[in-house]
Amino acid sequence: MTATPPDPDPARTPGLEPGGGVTPGDTPPDAAQTSGLSHPQPMPSRRGPMITLVLVAVLTLLVLAFVVAEVMSWSKVF
């Protein structure tokens, strides 16, 4: 096998104690965090999803009408 394993070998990892823990001071200090937003986020528009929904409904009705017309022409009803 030529590829190295994804996890390092614990026996060769620096800073690990025999039980698998780390010595005090080996871990990095706590990083600062920022919670929340820096400014209010704008509300997304409802126009885009509504236009898409209407277009899908119209396309579905057109396809359904075409299928019904084809079936009626096959059965000589029209």
Side-chain angles (χ1 to χ4, degrees):
M1 181 165 111
T2 60
T4 58
D7 294 328
D9 182 16
R12 299 181 61 204
T13 304
L16 285 181
E17 292 182 338
V22 292
T23 57
D26 267 356
T27 57
D30 287 338
Q33 289 186 355
T34 305
S35 63
L37 301 172
S38 58
H39 55 83
Q41 297 293 311
M43 290 296 293
S45 171
R46 291 185 138 193
R47 188 179 346 180
M50 289 303 287
I51 290 173
T52 303
L53 185 62
V54 168
L55 288 176
V56 167
V58 167
L59 183 64
T60 303
L61 289 175
L62 287 174
V63 169
L64 182 64
F66 176 75
V67 170
V68 167
E70 285 294 315
V71 169
M72 291 177 104
S73 70
W74 289 338
S75 61
K76 308 279 191 231
V77 175
F78 236 170

